[in-house]
């Protein structure tokens, strides 16, 4: 049975950041990374660009072989962990290999959440979560004339734009009242929706799919809740994801929506940590732990987990999941950081909207401190806004300047705070 001091399961951003953190403190302890994918580690953010052809699949790897060799990391691709024996400290893979570990990080990410739509299981539909998914969608999109996308989230709208540019007639069905729910507020989403509709994409919000019709395993049409139908020779499901925790059954590792962790990313099992899209951790706002499936959080959680695993004394606890998202569409950008706070009467909200020009900004402040930003088509620095929120910077002395010019005022503030 192979033995390793550090076993990292998952090789995207959280896993790789943990590897870097471990090696900063422990340069020699045996370190193994198991990835269920056959490809070298890559960023899921690149997948829409693989679909569109802007990025070649052979050039999307985050790290090359030399990077792993220099850090004495044993990377095993195509090795999916199917069970964990925490009592014996053993991870078992689909190939039958058993790995004995001393310290384990679970960075297994999330898997597409497929809705229980009648007829959906009988057709060949697409998802967009892995590089193989992207390659399959790229090839299918090249010959598609009509496409239906379920879900107007980040994945669904990215794919809709790519498919439309490839020449397909595209319809997007979203059950929530507006596009990008959970990311943008209604006025911001309205501008994004208008941009898609202006380019011929049918965007139907507040609607659900009641069934899918097929012929020889291929989608033919989609029936909506009002009885209307949409033609579809390509069907993409982008209705969200769920943390990949199924392999933990019987392990004793506590799971809620994701793997429950403390502020060092440790689970309820002493030598097991979790990070990234699979972890359910402290929220920056609110008492309940959350799964905050965004790339910056995956990096931060991976770094903290790696430091904790290696015993790095410089470790600082996790401050909590703070949403930050950027969405490029048709050469423009929408940005959302933090929360809106619209249900809190103590929150001061400043909005600017020019629907005709497609410009929008919303600043949410509480007790003189920024808690959220949402913009479309406006100059903004998401990283600076994230810093102002996470540091709870008092904006009272510069509030009027900040409301008028958040980008310049925010950068000026952070230039002093970073010194």
């Amino acid at each position: 049975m192979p033995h390793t001091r550090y076993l990292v399961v998952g090789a995207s951003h959280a896993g790789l950041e943990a590897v870097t953190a471990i090696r900063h403190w422990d340069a020699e302890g045996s370190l193994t990374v198991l990835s269920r994918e056959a490809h070298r580690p890559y960023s899921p953010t690149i997948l829409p660009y693989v679909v569109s052809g802007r990025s070649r699949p052979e050039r999307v790897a985050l790290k090359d072989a030399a990077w792993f060799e220099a850090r004495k990391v044993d990377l095993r691709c195509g090795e999916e962990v199917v069970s964990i024996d925490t009592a014996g400290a053993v991870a078992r893979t689909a190939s039958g290999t058993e790995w004995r570990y001393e310290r384990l990080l679970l960075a297994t990410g999330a898997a597409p959440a497929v809705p229980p739509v009648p007829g959906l299981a009988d057709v060949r539909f697409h998802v967009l979560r892995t590089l193989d998914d992207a390659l399959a969608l790229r090839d299918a999109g090249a010959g598609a004339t009509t496409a239906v996308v379920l879900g107007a989230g980040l994945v669904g709208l990215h794919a809709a734009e790519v498919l439309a540019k490839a020449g397909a007639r595209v319809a997007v069905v979203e059950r929530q009242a507006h596009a990008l729910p959970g990311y943008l507020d209604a006025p911001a989403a309205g501008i994004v929706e208008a941009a898609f509709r202006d380019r011929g994409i049918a965007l139907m919000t507040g609607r659900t799919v009641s069934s899918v019709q097929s012929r020889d395993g291929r989608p033919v049409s989609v029936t909506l809740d009002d009885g209307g139908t949409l033609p579809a020779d390509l069907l993409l499901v982008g209705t969200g994801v769920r943390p990949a925790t199924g392999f933990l059954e019987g392990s004793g590792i506590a799971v809620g929506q994701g793997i429950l962790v403390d502020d060092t990313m440790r689970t309820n099992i002493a030598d097991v940590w979790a990070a990234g899209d699979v972890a359910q951790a402290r929220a920056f706002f609110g008492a309940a732990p959350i799964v905050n499936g965004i790339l910056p959080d995956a990096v931060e959680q991976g770094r903290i987990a790696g430091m904790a695993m290696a015993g790095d004394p410089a470790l600082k606890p996790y401050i909590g999941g703070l949403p930050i998202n950027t969405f490029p569409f048709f050469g423009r950008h929408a940005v959302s950081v933090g929360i809106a706070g619209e249900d809190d009467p103590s929150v001061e909200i400043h909005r600017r909207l020019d629907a005709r020009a497609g410009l929008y900004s919303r600043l949410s402040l509480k007790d003189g401190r920024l808690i959220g930003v949402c913009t479309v088509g406006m100059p903004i620095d998401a990283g600076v806004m994230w810093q102002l929120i996470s540091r709870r910077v008092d904006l009272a002395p510069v509030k009027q300047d900040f409301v008028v010019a958040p980008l310049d005022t925010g950068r000026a503030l952070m230039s002093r705070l970073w010194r």
Side-chain angles (χ1 to χ4, degrees), residues 149-188:
V149 177
L150 306 188
L154 296 175
V155 168
L157 291 189
H158 272 307
E161 179 176 347
V162 170
L163 292 168
K165 287 179 176 178
R169 191 165 78 250
V170 182
V172 182
V173 183
E174 169 56 53
R175 66 182 301 169
Q176 299 296 328
H178 63 73
L180 297 167
Y183 301 105
L184 304 183
D185 58 20

Side-chain angles (χ1 to χ4, degrees), residues 10-75:
S12 193
H13 291 283
L16 295 184
E17 191 67 19
V19 167
T20 299
I22 289 169
R23 282 298 183 237
H24 278 163
W25 187 250
D26 182 352
E28 299 297 333
S30 55
L31 202 167
T32 303
V33 177
L34 303 181
S35 173
R36 64 174 172 261
E37 299 215 36
H39 307 282
R40 287 201 171 275
Y42 58 87
S43 173
T45 60
I46 202 69
L47 297 180
Y49 304 103
V50 173
V51 177
S52 69
R54 288 179 57 187
S55 294
R56 289 159 46 192
E58 65 272 18
R59 301 188 66 181
V60 300
L62 288 169
K63 308 293 182 185
D64 59 15
W67 188 90
F68 291 95
E69 291 169 6
R71 289 155 183 79
K72 301 178 183 178
V73 176
D74 183 7
L75 172 66

